[in-house]
Protein backbone atom coordinates (compact mmCIF):
# COMPACT_ATOMS: atom_id res chain seq x y z
CA UNK A 1 0.00 0.00 0.00
CA UNK A 2 2.83 2.41 0.89
CA UNK A 3 4.57 1.64 -2.39
CA UNK A 4 1.37 2.28 -4.34
CA UNK A 5 0.84 5.62 -2.59
CA UNK A 6 4.44 6.56 -3.34
CA UNK A 7 3.99 5.71 -7.01
CA UNK A 8 0.81 7.79 -7.20
CA UNK A 9 2.61 10.75 -5.59
CA UNK A 10 5.47 10.52 -8.09
CA UNK A 11 3.01 10.42 -11.00
CA UNK A 12 1.18 13.48 -9.67
CA UNK A 13 4.43 15.36 -9.28
CA UNK A 14 5.42 14.50 -12.82
CA UNK A 15 2.08 15.70 -14.14
CA UNK A 16 2.47 19.02 -12.28
CA UNK A 17 5.83 19.84 -13.79
CA UNK A 18 5.51 22.90 -15.98
CA UNK A 19 7.19 22.60 -19.37
CA UNK A 20 9.07 25.77 -20.27
CA UNK A 21 9.70 27.33 -23.66
CA UNK A 22 13.21 26.89 -25.03
CA UNK A 23 14.76 30.31 -24.51
CA UNK A 24 16.97 30.16 -27.58
CA UNK A 25 14.00 29.19 -29.77
CA UNK A 26 12.06 32.06 -28.20
CA UNK A 27 14.86 34.54 -28.92
CA UNK A 28 14.91 33.46 -32.57
CA UNK A 29 11.17 34.10 -32.79
CA UNK A 30 11.52 37.57 -31.28
CA UNK A 31 14.30 38.50 -33.70
CA UNK A 32 12.20 37.24 -36.62
CA UNK A 33 9.28 39.40 -35.50
CA UNK A 34 11.46 42.49 -35.16
CA UNK A 35 13.14 41.91 -38.51
CA UNK A 36 9.95 41.19 -40.46
CA UNK A 37 6.87 42.50 -38.63
CA UNK A 38 7.88 45.62 -36.69
CA UNK A 39 6.54 48.63 -38.66
CA UNK A 40 9.75 50.64 -38.18
CA UNK A 41 12.78 50.46 -35.86
CA UNK A 42 11.84 51.26 -32.29
CA UNK A 43 8.08 51.26 -32.97
CA UNK A 44 5.85 49.66 -30.37
CA UNK A 45 3.75 46.69 -31.49
CA UNK A 46 2.49 43.40 -30.10
CA UNK A 47 2.09 40.01 -31.74
CA UNK A 48 0.96 36.57 -30.62
CA UNK A 49 1.37 33.25 -32.36
CA UNK A 50 -0.11 29.80 -31.79
CA UNK A 51 2.37 26.93 -31.99
CA UNK A 52 2.79 23.41 -30.63
CA UNK A 53 4.66 22.47 -27.48
CA UNK A 54 7.26 20.69 -29.59
CA UNK A 55 7.88 23.81 -31.64
CA UNK A 56 8.29 25.91 -28.49
CA UNK A 57 10.74 23.51 -26.87
CA UNK A 58 12.95 22.70 -29.87
CA UNK A 59 16.03 24.90 -30.11
CA UNK A 60 16.29 24.07 -33.82
CA UNK A 61 12.71 25.06 -34.63
CA UNK A 62 12.41 27.55 -37.50
CA UNK A 63 9.43 29.84 -37.23
CA UNK A 64 9.35 30.30 -41.00
CA UNK A 65 7.84 26.80 -41.23
CA UNK A 66 4.62 28.12 -39.65
CA UNK A 67 4.90 31.90 -40.23
CA UNK A 68 6.43 32.58 -43.62
CA UNK A 69 8.09 35.77 -44.82
CA UNK A 70 5.07 36.36 -47.06
CA UNK A 71 2.72 36.05 -44.10
CA UNK A 72 4.95 38.30 -41.99
CA UNK A 73 4.70 40.94 -44.73
CA UNK A 74 0.90 40.71 -44.63
CA UNK A 75 0.89 41.24 -40.87
CA UNK A 76 3.33 44.15 -41.10
CA UNK A 77 1.27 45.96 -43.73
CA UNK A 78 -1.92 45.35 -41.77
CA UNK A 79 -0.66 46.92 -38.55
CA UNK A 80 1.19 49.71 -40.38
CA UNK A 81 -2.20 50.82 -41.67
CA UNK A 82 -3.55 50.99 -38.12
CA UNK A 83 -5.61 47.82 -38.38
CA UNK A 84 -5.51 44.84 -36.06
CA UNK A 85 -4.42 41.52 -37.53
CA UNK A 86 -7.03 39.02 -36.38
CA UNK A 87 -5.79 35.77 -37.89
CA UNK A 88 -5.08 37.76 -41.05
CA UNK A 89 -2.88 35.10 -42.70
CA UNK A 90 -4.02 31.84 -44.26
CA UNK A 91 -2.64 29.58 -41.45
CA UNK A 92 -4.75 31.72 -39.05
CA UNK A 93 -2.18 31.39 -36.29
CA UNK A 94 -1.16 35.02 -35.71
CA UNK A 95 -2.67 38.18 -34.24
CA UNK A 96 -0.93 41.56 -34.04
CA UNK A 97 -1.55 45.26 -33.40
CA UNK A 98 0.01 48.68 -32.98
CA UNK A 99 -1.27 51.33 -30.57
CA UNK A 100 -3.47 54.02 -32.11
CA UNK A 101 -1.37 57.17 -32.32
CA UNK A 102 -4.39 59.43 -31.84
CA UNK A 103 -5.29 57.76 -28.52
CA UNK A 104 -2.56 57.92 -25.83
CA UNK A 105 -4.41 55.35 -23.73
CA UNK A 106 -4.69 52.83 -26.55
CA UNK A 107 -2.11 50.06 -26.21
CA UNK A 108 -1.27 47.19 -28.54
CA UNK A 109 -1.35 44.62 -25.73
CA UNK A 110 -4.84 45.70 -24.70
CA UNK A 111 -6.10 45.60 -28.29
CA UNK A 112 -5.13 41.93 -28.59
CA UNK A 113 -6.51 40.80 -25.22
CA UNK A 114 -9.86 42.65 -25.11
CA UNK A 115 -12.81 42.48 -25.06
CA UNK A 116 -12.53 39.34 -22.95
CA UNK A 117 -14.57 36.61 -24.60
CA UNK A 118 -14.40 38.09 -28.08
CA UNK A 119 -10.85 39.38 -28.38
CA UNK A 120 -8.27 38.60 -31.05
CA UNK A 121 -6.63 36.39 -28.41
CA UNK A 122 -9.89 34.49 -27.87
CA UNK A 123 -9.99 33.81 -31.61
CA UNK A 124 -6.37 32.64 -31.57
CA UNK A 125 -7.15 30.31 -28.65
CA UNK A 126 -10.24 28.78 -30.23
CA UNK A 127 -8.52 25.54 -31.26
CA UNK A 128 -5.83 25.12 -28.60
CA UNK A 129 -5.32 21.95 -26.58
CA UNK A 130 -2.83 20.57 -24.05
CA UNK A 131 -0.22 20.25 -26.80
CA UNK A 132 -0.42 23.93 -27.74
CA UNK A 133 1.97 26.79 -27.06
CA UNK A 134 1.02 30.47 -27.32
CA UNK A 135 3.74 33.13 -27.43
CA UNK A 136 2.76 36.77 -26.87
CA UNK A 137 5.44 39.36 -27.64
CA UNK A 138 5.39 43.11 -27.07
CA UNK A 139 8.33 45.26 -28.13
CA UNK A 140 8.25 47.49 -25.04
CA UNK A 141 7.36 46.16 -21.61
CA UNK A 142 3.72 46.75 -20.62
CA UNK A 143 3.54 50.23 -19.08
CA UNK A 144 2.84 50.38 -15.37
CA UNK A 145 0.42 53.33 -15.50
CA UNK A 146 -2.05 51.89 -17.99
CA UNK A 147 -1.29 48.24 -18.86
CA UNK A 148 -0.65 47.00 -15.33
CA UNK A 149 -2.32 49.38 -12.88
CA UNK A 150 -4.73 51.50 -14.92
CA UNK A 151 -8.44 51.13 -15.63
CA UNK A 152 -7.58 49.47 -18.95
CA UNK A 153 -5.03 47.06 -17.51
CA UNK A 154 -4.36 43.73 -19.24
CA UNK A 155 -4.51 41.41 -16.21
CA UNK A 156 -8.04 40.08 -16.80
CA UNK A 157 -7.13 39.48 -20.42
CA UNK A 158 -4.08 37.50 -19.36
CA UNK A 159 -6.16 35.45 -16.90
CA UNK A 160 -8.66 34.68 -19.67
CA UNK A 161 -5.78 33.44 -21.84
CA UNK A 162 -4.34 31.32 -19.04
CA UNK A 163 -7.72 29.77 -18.23
CA UNK A 164 -8.19 28.71 -21.85
CA UNK A 165 -4.74 27.13 -22.11
CA UNK A 166 -4.14 25.74 -18.63
CA UNK A 167 -2.10 22.72 -19.69
CA UNK A 168 -0.17 24.17 -22.60
CA UNK A 169 2.84 26.48 -22.71
CA UNK A 170 2.11 30.18 -22.25
CA UNK A 171 4.79 32.81 -22.81
CA UNK A 172 4.70 36.59 -22.38
CA UNK A 173 7.90 38.24 -23.67
CA UNK A 174 9.20 41.73 -24.29
CA UNK A 175 12.40 43.31 -25.53
CA UNK A 176 12.93 46.71 -23.89
CA UNK A 177 11.86 48.31 -20.64
CA UNK A 178 9.40 51.11 -21.46
CA UNK A 179 11.48 54.25 -21.03
CA UNK A 180 9.06 56.04 -18.71
CA UNK A 181 9.03 53.06 -16.33
CA UNK A 182 12.72 52.76 -15.47
CA UNK A 183 12.18 54.53 -12.14
CA UNK A 184 9.05 52.52 -11.23
CA UNK A 185 8.91 49.56 -8.83
CA UNK A 186 9.23 47.09 -11.68
CA UNK A 187 9.83 43.96 -9.60
CA UNK A 188 6.55 44.51 -7.79
CA UNK A 189 4.61 45.58 -10.88
CA UNK A 190 5.90 42.95 -13.28
CA UNK A 191 5.20 40.11 -10.87
CA UNK A 192 1.49 40.84 -11.41
CA UNK A 193 1.98 39.61 -14.96
CA UNK A 194 4.37 36.80 -14.10
CA UNK A 195 1.94 35.33 -11.58
CA UNK A 196 -0.50 34.75 -14.44
CA UNK A 197 1.73 34.05 -17.44
CA UNK A 198 5.50 33.40 -17.29
CA UNK A 199 7.37 36.57 -18.23
CA UNK A 200 10.58 36.72 -20.25
CA UNK A 201 12.85 39.48 -21.49
CA UNK A 202 14.51 39.07 -24.87
CA UNK A 203 16.85 42.09 -25.02
CA UNK A 204 18.15 43.32 -28.35
CA UNK A 205 21.74 43.06 -27.17
CA UNK A 206 21.19 39.33 -26.50
CA UNK A 207 19.69 38.22 -29.79
CA UNK A 208 20.51 34.58 -29.15
CA UNK A 209 18.80 34.19 -25.80
CA UNK A 210 15.91 35.25 -23.57
CA UNK A 211 15.79 35.42 -19.80
CA UNK A 212 13.10 34.02 -17.54
CA UNK A 213 12.42 36.51 -14.82
CA UNK A 214 12.06 33.95 -12.08
CA UNK A 215 14.72 31.54 -13.23
CA UNK A 216 17.35 30.13 -10.90
CA UNK A 217 20.38 31.64 -12.58
CA UNK A 218 21.37 35.23 -12.00
CA UNK A 219 21.74 37.24 -15.20
CA UNK A 220 22.32 40.88 -16.00
CA UNK A 221 18.60 41.27 -16.71
CA UNK A 222 16.73 39.51 -13.95
CA UNK A 223 17.45 37.47 -10.89
CA UNK A 224 15.62 35.40 -8.31
CA UNK A 225 15.39 36.86 -4.82
CA UNK A 226 15.90 34.48 -1.85
CA UNK A 227 12.21 33.75 -1.23
CA UNK A 228 11.48 33.50 -4.97
CA UNK A 229 8.53 35.84 -4.40
CA UNK A 230 9.37 38.17 -7.27
CA UNK A 231 12.19 39.08 -9.59
CA UNK A 232 14.29 42.19 -9.91
CA UNK A 233 15.54 43.88 -13.04
CA UNK A 234 19.02 45.37 -12.97
CA UNK A 235 21.24 47.14 -15.50
CA UNK A 236 18.47 48.92 -17.41
Amino acid sequence: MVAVKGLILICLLQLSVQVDVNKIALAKMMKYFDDNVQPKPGAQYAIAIRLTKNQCTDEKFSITSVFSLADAKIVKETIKNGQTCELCTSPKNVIAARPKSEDPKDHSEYRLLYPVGNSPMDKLLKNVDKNSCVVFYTYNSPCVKECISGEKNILDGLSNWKNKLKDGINVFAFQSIWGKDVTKDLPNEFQKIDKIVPLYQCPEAEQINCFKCRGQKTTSYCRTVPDNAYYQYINY
Side-chain angles (χ1 to χ4, degrees), residues 24-212:
I24 294 177
L26 179 61
K28 291 177 181 178
M29 292 183 216
M30 304 304 98
K31 186 176 188 309
Y32 183 80
F33 295 154
D34 284 349
D35 288 346
N36 300 289
V37 176
Q38 189 171 33
K40 60 182 180 180
Q44 167 61 13
Y45 73 106
I47 183 169
I49 186 168
R50 185 182 64 243
L51 304 161
T52 67
K53 278 186 177 180
N54 288 340
Q55 290 166 341
C56 281
T57 54
D58 183 0
E59 184 177 316
K60 297 180 180 180
F61 167 65
S62 173
I63 192 171
T64 56
S65 63
V66 295
F67 185 39
S68 68
L69 285 170
D71 285 338
K73 184 177 180 180
I74 292 172
V75 176
K76 182 176 181 176
E77 292 303 314
T78 300
I79 64 175
K80 275 180 67 176
N81 293 330
Q83 299 172 304
T84 298
C85 168
E86 295 189 7
L87 310 179
C88 62
T89 61
S90 55
K92 298 190 179 301
N93 61 346
V94 173
I95 57 175
R98 286 197 68 192
K100 293 179 180 177
S101 58
E102 66 273 16
D103 184 356
K105 291 189 176 182
D106 180 80
H107 295 271
S108 49
E109 302 97 322
Y110 188 92
R111 291 182 69 184
L112 295 184
L113 295 166
Y114 289 82
V116 170
N118 191 34
S119 67
M121 179 61 89
D122 284 302
K123 295 171 185 176
L124 185 71
L125 295 170
K126 187 175 181 180
N127 298 313
V128 295
D129 57 31
K130 64 181 181 179
N131 295 312
S132 298
C133 169
V134 170
V135 175
F136 187 110
Y137 174 63
T138 174
Y139 179 73
N140 287 304
S141 60
C143 68
V144 171
K145 183 178 180 181
E146 297 294 338
C147 292
I148 300 178
S149 299
E151 292 183 2
K152 295 179 69 174
N153 70 73
I154 62 174
L155 302 182
D156 286 344
L158 294 178
S159 295
N160 175 60
W161 163 16
K162 174 63 176 177
N163 288 335
K164 290 194 171 185
L165 186 53
K166 293 180 180 179
D167 299 320
I169 298 178
N170 299 305
V171 180
F172 193 112
F174 69 92
Q175 182 180 124
S176 302
I177 299 289
W178 171 234
K180 294 183 180 180
D181 282 349
V182 294
T183 59
K184 301 288 179 64
D185 182 8
L186 294 181
N188 185 55
E189 294 294 339
F190 281 168
Q191 71 166 320
K192 297 173 185 177
I193 293 174
D194 190 68
K195 282 181 177 179
I196 304 171
V197 180
L199 184 63
Y200 293 78
Q201 184 178 15
C202 304
E204 184 177 11
E206 296 283 348
Q207 292 185 342
I208 60 169
N209 205 355
C210 295
F211 300 90
K212 189 176 182 181

Side-chain angles (χ1 to χ4, degrees), residues 12-24:
L12 289 174
L13 288 172
Q14 289 177 336
L15 288 173
S16 67
V17 172
Q18 177 65 49
V19 177
D20 290 329
V21 66
N22 181 283
K23 290 180 285 187
I24 294 177

